[in-house]
Amino acid sequence: MTFELVFVLVMVTAMLIGLLAEITRPEIIVFAVLTIFLVTGILTPEEALQGFSNEGMLTIALLFIVAGAVQNSGIMERFITSWLAKSKSLLESMARFFIPTSILSGFLNNTPIVVTLAPLIKNWCEERDITPSKFLIPLSYVTILGGTITLMGTSTNLVVHGMLLDYGYEGYSLFQLAIIGIPIMVVGLVYIFTIGYQLLPEYKGFKQTIKEDAKEYIAEVIVGETFPHINQSIEQAGLRELKGLYLVEIIRGEERLSPVRSSTVIQEGDRLNFTGLMSTLTEVQMTKGLSLRTGTKLDLDELKNGNTQLVEAVVSHQSSLLSKSIKQNQFRSKYDAGVIAVHRKNERIQSKVGDIHLKPGDSLLLLAGKGFVEKYQQSNDFYVLTSLGTPESLKRNARNGWLPVGIFFLMIILVTFSVLSMFKAMAVAVILLLATNTITAREAKGYIHFHVLLLIASSFGVGIAIMKSGLAEWIARGLLAVGEPFGLFAILLLIYLLTNIFTELITNSAAAVLMLPIGLETAANLHLDPMGFAVTITIAASASFITPIGYQTNMIVYGPGGYKFSDYIKIGTPLSLLVMAITVTIVYYWWF
């Protein structure tokens, strides 16, 4: 073992530990390791920057724009809403919802599909007295399965495709992965409709739990004539820094003031609605002129008015809100929204709302302005999931909405018949969307998830270091030493398992980038077709079902579904084993 090999091994191990421990955002960790490789001379500047000009990575950037335009058209919501309305039984509803969704996810990014459809399915479930937890994990799983059908189904497919091109191979055609993608999607859907559905828990949704126990979240205080701070601001009255409590709204006659600002003036007769720890109301009750309103049944819906709405949102992995408290982030002024409650791992965080330090996957119940969902729908800070109002996208002109859909599928046809490459087709699609004023340049920029691109581009450089240092060959020889006595099938199984473990613990794209050099070295040592190993790694990197942290869509439904970590293990393990068995078997017989 050379010093260079040992150094790269130590740095990659440290990177994996950092990603697993979530010491900071994933793209920062991987970029930091890439920088170390550059500074120490492990990589040349050209090698370090290779990922930033990779065709697969740039195709993903363009796909973000196209998928954002299609999502924003409202066509998807209108179709699913009308399609579900025709169902007559629960099983038929599942088939009507999940089969089209899985097919759709073969052509659009998984994340916007889940973000768009989760509110619809939640509202549909609540209207029929069905627990949303029976539908949200399946929603995530079917988008993952459907994403394996085509080259553009998920970023992982495009990442591996781009790396193969860089290494001098042909890469994937649009439907090359369908040889495995279609069988695992069909088997996965059958599993979800039968065994999986029986294993799914029946949990109350986040918002439903809060509604039923509103008195545990909201208290109403009346301002009497003896209150010494009448006609003074909230800050002057000392109501901004109450222990454990957060002033979310003021009701003044027929008027509702929300969110409440520090400069808002208090008047006699005001009804102050507090959220937070109701056990800390003593300080308020002991204040002269303030009295707790009792004998009424509080309802969250009473907080809404024409200018406000209740919104449920999930904090994303790349959120700028991480590592700081809600107060330090100045959440109220930044988003014009007040946080009523925060849930983490199916439990409410028992703390003053302003003091809570947010983590990825936290569910927030917000009292927000009327345009909140539309304004922050594409925000990198959180995935907006549920609004009690009708999304504006459902109210848009249907004719205008079909234009981005038409442009998108025209490009798919051109790629299918090899008229254009995937990269060229998506570039043309973006130009057409801009030229027809379907989207603006500002909207296009907002659709791009730059953190994802930085993670992928940086991972490319790390992958080159793994290959260049000899680490890939060293690990490949180790895999061969373990698996060769048992045959090629066992070697494929080991590569699949290792990739899948990385996916469950870190991220899908990073797992694919780390494992592809190892897979290619293994193929070279065995003098076999490297494409079979590449396909195995591609599917294994996408098939994240056992934890909520390996794939974004799993994390998105984690909080709103009220799930526990163990639910993913119980439901996802059988599905993961099925996908592994089908993938390795097909690769073994089709390629070798």
Side-chain angles (χ1 to χ4, degrees), residues 71-74 77-78 374 377 391-401:
Q71 177 196 6
N72 209 35
S73 69
E77 297 101 311
R78 277 192 287 269
E374 292 300 305
Q377 191 174 35
E392 289 298 317
S393 54
L394 291 181
K395 302 175 184 176
R396 294 191 184 123
N397 188 301
R399 179 180 295 180
N400 295 337

Side-chain angles (χ1 to χ4, degrees), residues 49-359:
L49 294 172
Q50 190 170 325
F52 292 87
S53 60
N54 178 268
E55 182 177 317
M57 193 277 294
L58 295 174
T59 304
I60 293 169
L62 295 172
L63 267 173
F64 279 139
I65 299 174
V66 178
V70 173
Q71 177 196 6
N72 209 35
S73 69
I75 295 296
M76 194 160 44
E77 297 101 311
R78 277 192 287 269
F79 170 75
I80 292 295
T81 301
S82 60
W83 186 243
L84 275 177
K86 300 174 183 177
S87 58
K88 298 177 181 178
S89 67
L90 183 60
L91 185 60
E92 184 186 351
S93 299
M94 292 177 68
R96 281 179 173 271
F97 185 72
F98 292 130
I99 292 175
T101 301
S102 60
I103 295 171
L104 187 65
S105 64
F107 300 93
L108 289 174
N109 187 277
N110 313 58
T111 301
I113 290 177
V114 174
V115 169
T116 302
L117 298 185
L120 297 179
I121 199 64
K122 281 189 62 163
N123 290 337
W124 183 88
C125 287
E126 288 168 1
E127 288 171 3
R128 288 156 180 79
D129 200 27
I130 302 170
T131 55
S133 60
K134 284 286 190 181
F135 276 76
L136 289 179
I137 277 183
L139 171 62
S140 174
Y141 285 179
V142 299
T143 60
I144 293 172
L145 291 167
T148 61
I149 298 174
T150 70
L151 168 60
M152 62 192 301
T154 178
S155 59
T156 308
N157 303 350
L158 286 163
V159 165
V160 175
H161 171 72
M163 291 184 72
L164 288 172
L165 293 176
D166 282 348
Y167 292 148
Y169 299 102
E170 288 186 5
Y172 296 137
S173 63
L174 182 60
F175 291 103
Q176 186 170 352
L177 293 170
I179 185 76
I180 294 174
I182 292 175
I184 64 175
M185 185 187 78
V186 172
V187 172
L189 285 169
V190 171
Y191 167 79
I192 290 169
F193 290 165
T194 54
I195 300 171
Y197 186 79
Q198 298 301 319
L199 294 175
L200 283 163
E202 293 192 24
Y203 295 143
K204 295 176 183 176
F206 174 35
K207 192 182 296 183
Q208 185 181 358
T209 301
I210 295 176
K211 280 186 175 183
E212 291 180 1
D213 300 315
K215 64 182 180 180
E216 298 296 327
Y217 294 85
I218 307 170
E220 190 169 273
V221 174
I222 310 298
V223 178
E225 60 181 6
T226 58
F227 185 58
H229 300 289
I230 290 175
N231 295 325
Q232 293 182 8
S233 69
I234 293 294
E235 190 167 9
Q236 291 171 329
L239 296 178
R240 177 64 80 202
E241 303 298 331
L242 291 172
K243 181 181 177 182
L245 294 175
Y246 179 80
L247 182 56
V248 71
E249 182 185 49
I250 297 177
I251 301 176
R252 181 175 297 159
E254 298 297 322
E255 184 183 8
R256 291 173 178 264
L257 307 177
S258 176
V260 181
R261 309 187 186 282
S262 299
S263 57
T264 302
V265 175
I266 300 176
Q267 296 181 11
E268 181 185 343
D270 281 352
R271 294 156 56 191
L272 313 180
N273 282 326
F274 288 96
T275 184
L277 296 176
M278 296 301 104
S279 57
T280 62
L281 274 170
T282 307
E283 183 180 349
V284 175
Q285 290 177 285
M286 293 178 65
T287 303
K288 183 179 178 181
L290 295 182
S291 59
L292 183 66
R293 188 183 183 193
T294 60
T296 59
K297 184 177 180 180
L298 295 170
D299 189 343
L300 278 180
D301 290 332
E302 293 179 6
L303 294 177
K304 298 184 298 176
N305 60 35
N307 298 315
T308 60
Q309 59 179 328
L310 289 169
V311 176
E312 181 182 343
V314 177
V315 178
S316 70
H317 288 86
Q318 68 276 7
S319 178
S320 63
L321 301 170
L322 303 178
S323 75
K324 292 182 181 179
S325 69
I326 290 175
K327 182 179 178 181
Q328 289 170 335
N329 278 302
Q330 298 181 317
F331 194 100
R332 192 195 316 246
S333 57
K334 184 176 181 180
Y335 298 106
D336 192 28
V339 181
I340 296 175
V342 181
H343 272 213
R344 181 179 298 157
K345 297 179 180 178
N346 201 28
E347 293 183 359
R348 182 192 179 198
I349 298 179
Q350 297 291 334
S351 174
K352 181 179 179 181
V353 169
D355 295 337
I356 296 173
H357 285 69
L358 297 174
K359 293 184 178 182

Side-chain angles (χ1 to χ4, degrees), residues 5-65:
L5 188 154
V6 173
F7 181 75
V8 172
L9 176 61
V10 170
M11 291 308 304
V12 170
T13 303
M15 182 185 76
L16 293 174
I17 293 171
L19 289 169
L20 184 58
E22 296 182 345
I23 59 174
T24 187
R25 289 158 63 168
E27 66 271 19
I28 302 300
I29 296 172
V30 180
F31 182 71
V33 173
L34 175 66
T35 303
I36 291 172
F37 287 154
L38 175 63
V39 172
T40 55
I42 301 292
L43 296 174
T44 64
E46 291 76 17
E47 290 169 335
L49 294 172
Q50 190 170 325
F52 292 87
S53 60
N54 178 268
E55 182 177 317
M57 193 277 294
L58 295 174
T59 304
I60 293 169
L62 295 172
L63 267 173
F64 279 139
I65 299 174

